[in-house]
Amino acid sequence: MVLGLLVFGGLNGLMVYGAPECWKLLRYGAWTAFHKGFTFSGFDQYTYIILSEWRPLYELYRHPLLAVMMWPLSCLSEALADEYKIRFAIYILAVVWTLVSLLTWWLLYRLLRLRIGLGMSTSLLLCLFYYGFAYVMLASFVPDHMLLTQCLLITMIYVATAPQKGHRQGSGVAAWKSLLLYFVATGVTTTNGIKIWLMDMVAMMTDNGRSRGYGMQGHKPLWRRMLTRSCLYLIPTLLMGGLFLYQQQTVMKAEYDRQEEMSSKRIARDSLFAKQVRADSVRHQHELEGQIGDSRFLAYTNTNIDRWPLLYENMLGEGLILHEEHLMEDTNVTENPRPLVVRYSHWWDYAAEACIVLLFVAALCCGFRERLLWIALMPMLFDMLLHIGLRFASADVYIMTAHWAFVIPLAIGIMIKKARTWPLLRIGLTVAIAALTAFLWWHNLALLLPYIIEH
């Protein structure tokens, strides 16, 4: 925990230290302040704005309750701003993000230490290895929802693999726990609900046929238990739907009207802004041409990028190891957008990526029968279908790394555990992970530190 506190406290402290003056002073409007000087490829600055002045800025169908979850922090921020006459959004989020990151670190460590059975030093090494991934590291201090998703999904793995009273280790998840996690996780990001459901179904399928809640003589067929549990998910889904409709007709309608009024006034007095709006409209029309369909649920699909470079340069590349060129540039801007595919400048970056992928594939083969691995693998498989199959959010797919990459250290941890009867192999694996960890932290921090301080 102390090591985690040092890591996340340092990263969030660095973010606060590198913050421009306009983020702190009230004389700048929140929208203007945080759109100025904030460029972290693919990440949104909406959380900072919402904490400064509460507004439902997240797309409601993608993040149904995220703005509501930020409301208490927004009240605190506004109260402190009234008292001390400076903006507190960056300070509050730094503290909260440090605590959430620390909780996630602790859960991952306990999965490695207690569920898999690794030693303390190996568990800590794999935690450091995981947080060395570029966009896992970034998620721990940049204002967006990825950190919350990561924490909730790792919590689901921890709950699903916990020994239950009166059952063997690895028995299924209690319904109220999975439904609660489903509701909260879906409120953060809609696709999280599918991941929680998949993980719950896998937990039931790998429960060795043991029934929960029907008594020793009351076994039901697996398909009936899975169907019954799936039907229970209708309860939080309907509740979420009701909250969605309520927000859509109240706060979101007011926000849309406000944005339209402000935009119209600014277009009338600011020719440069009017030009930018027209350029954004042209860019949006171009994006529509690459979509799979007209549905807004397919609004972020892009058929203009090939799947293979999307996989090895963006998802498994930039997500783990930052590219030196076009660092932190955004594909979603009108002027000088980041290219959809960026190549590494050095061969060793590809070599490091290949080593991580090969270790992961080997770990999947070693742990193929492990229940924990299959539960942890569900978010990655779903994201592969979503981002590589449908090419959803392909322009900045790497920012979702924290949604699935935790399966890599868990899988490798299982492989190291299984190598206990081959001491030389276990030492070799540990040395390889240590070398990769050192490279990831050195490479990614060497690029990030100057960028944060200078921008």
Side-chain angles (χ1 to χ4, degrees):
M1 292 292 282
V2 174
L3 179 59
L5 182 60
L6 290 173
V7 169
F8 303 122
L11 290 172
N12 280 280
L14 181 67
M15 186 68 174
V16 171
Y17 174 77
E21 185 182 44
C22 62
W23 290 11
K24 306 170 186 177
L25 302 180
L26 292 178
R27 69 170 178 265
Y28 298 97
W31 185 275
T32 302
F34 291 113
H35 271 77
K36 188 176 182 179
F38 185 97
T39 307
F40 285 86
S41 183
F43 290 108
D44 294 325
Q45 59 275 72
Y46 292 150
T47 306
Y48 278 156
I49 299 173
I50 290 171
L51 261 61
S52 301
E53 50 181 45
W54 192 87
R55 295 169 60 187
L57 296 177
Y58 300 110
E59 291 181 317
L60 197 59
Y61 74 97
R62 294 180 63 203
H63 312 290
L65 294 179
L66 190 53
V68 176
M69 293 175 183
M70 295 297 168
W71 179 75
L73 297 178
S74 179
C75 291
L76 175 62
S77 177
E78 292 187 45
L80 290 172
D82 290 340
E83 180 69 23
Y84 296 101
K85 307 307 177 186
I86 62 171
R87 187 175 285 117
F88 275 84
I90 58 173
Y91 303 106
I92 291 174
L93 202 70
V95 173
V96 174
W97 257 218
T98 298
L99 294 176
V100 175
S101 296
L102 195 59
L103 172 60
T104 310
W105 168 287
W106 178 77
L107 289 170
L108 181 62
Y109 173 80
R110 287 180 67 85
L111 282 169
L112 293 163
R113 187 85 170 91
L114 301 182
R115 305 288 194 268
I116 297 176
L118 298 174
M120 181 178 70
S121 58
T122 306
S123 299
L124 288 174
L125 175 62
L126 285 169
C127 285
L128 284 170
F129 172 64
Y130 173 63
Y131 279 98
F133 296 164
Y135 277 78
V136 173
M137 185 188 299
L138 275 161
S140 68
F141 64 89
V142 172
D144 215 319
H145 62 87
M146 287 71 187
L147 179 64
L148 299 177
T149 291
Q150 173 188 241
C151 184
L152 290 164
L153 294 178
I154 292 179
T155 299
M156 182 61 184
I157 301 171
Y158 187 78
V159 170
T161 56
Q164 303 291 334
K165 185 177 180 181
H167 294 269
R168 294 192 300 270
Q169 170 139 347
S171 57
V173 188
W176 71 269
K177 294 180 182 178
S178 59
L179 295 181
L180 178 60
L181 279 168
Y182 171 86
F183 180 78
V184 177
T186 303
V188 173
T189 299
T190 309
T191 52
N192 287 345
I194 301 174
K195 295 176 183 179
I196 294 291
W197 175 79
L198 286 172
M199 295 162 84
D200 192 17
M201 294 300 102
V202 169
M204 295 184 72
M205 291 171 64
T206 55
D207 197 17
N208 298 321
R210 184 178 292 272
S211 175
R212 289 181 55 80
Y214 296 100
M216 294 300 293
Q217 306 301 321
H219 295 287
K220 286 190 176 183
L222 176 61
W223 70 268
R224 289 186 63 184
R225 290 190 288 128
M226 293 178 66
L227 180 60
T228 301
R229 177 65 67 88
S230 297
C231 289
L232 288 177
Y233 277 88
L234 291 174
I235 299 171
T237 301
L238 291 173
L239 178 58
M240 185 68 67
L243 291 171
F244 172 87
L245 292 175
Y246 174 77
Q247 292 181 87
Q248 188 71 34
Q249 297 300 319
T250 55
V251 293
M252 290 307 298
K253 186 178 184 301
E255 177 62 25
Y256 292 149
D257 292 343
R258 174 183 175 178
Q259 289 184 12
E260 185 176 351
E261 181 183 356
M262 292 175 63
S263 180
S264 299
K265 289 181 178 178
R266 189 173 175 185
I267 287 173
R269 70 172 186 271
D270 189 340
S271 60
L272 290 177
F273 179 73
K275 182 180 178 181
Q276 181 183 343
V277 170
R278 289 193 295 271
D280 288 342
S281 178
V282 172
R283 179 173 63 86
H284 179 63
Q285 289 299 320
H286 179 69
E287 290 173 350
L288 290 176
E289 295 172 1
Q291 289 180 193
I292 294 175
D294 295 331
S295 170
R296 67 176 179 176
F297 292 101
L298 300 173
Y300 292 92
T301 56
N302 186 352
T303 59
N304 295 322
I305 182 172
D306 293 332
R307 290 185 175 90
W308 177 237
L310 174 62
L311 178 64
Y312 77 85
E313 292 288 5
N314 287 5
M315 190 169 185
L316 296 175
E318 179 79 359
L320 308 181
I321 305 167
L322 291 173
H323 289 80
E324 295 90 342
E325 302 295 329
H326 301 283
L327 179 67
M328 293 292 106
E329 291 181 7
D330 203 324
T331 60
N332 300 308
V333 297
T334 304
E335 296 183 6
N336 301 318
R338 175 190 171 105
L340 291 177
V341 175
V342 180
R343 310 290 180 183
Y344 286 113
S345 304
H346 307 289
W347 64 266
W348 53 78
D349 297 317
Y350 289 107
E353 179 187 348
C355 287
I356 294 171
V357 172
L358 289 174
L359 280 170
F360 178 52
V361 171
L364 290 178
C365 295
C366 288
F368 187 76
R369 296 181 179 274
E370 294 294 324
R371 181 172 186 271
L372 184 150
L373 179 57
W374 277 104
I375 294 172
L377 192 59
M378 286 301 103
M380 181 181 184
L381 293 178
F382 179 76
D383 276 359
M384 289 286 286
L385 172 64
L386 194 65
H387 301 306
I388 304 300
L390 297 178
R391 286 176 282 190
F392 176 82
S394 54
D396 47 21
V397 63
Y398 38 81
I399 68 172
M400 269 70 77
T401 303
H403 290 189
W404 58 266
F406 41 77
V407 70
I408 298 178
L410 292 173
I412 293 174
I414 291 171
M415 180 168 64
I416 292 174
K417 179 66 176 179
K418 287 182 175 291
R420 62 185 180 276
T421 55
W422 294 281
L424 289 179
L425 176 59
R426 184 164 184 163
I427 291 171
L429 289 172
T430 304
V431 170
I433 294 301
L436 286 169
T437 301
F439 170 78
L440 288 169
W441 279 91
W442 167 77
H443 175 90
N444 292 329
L445 276 184
L447 293 173
L448 281 177
L449 291 180
Y451 180 85
I452 295 172
I453 293 171
E454 293 171 5
H455 291 75

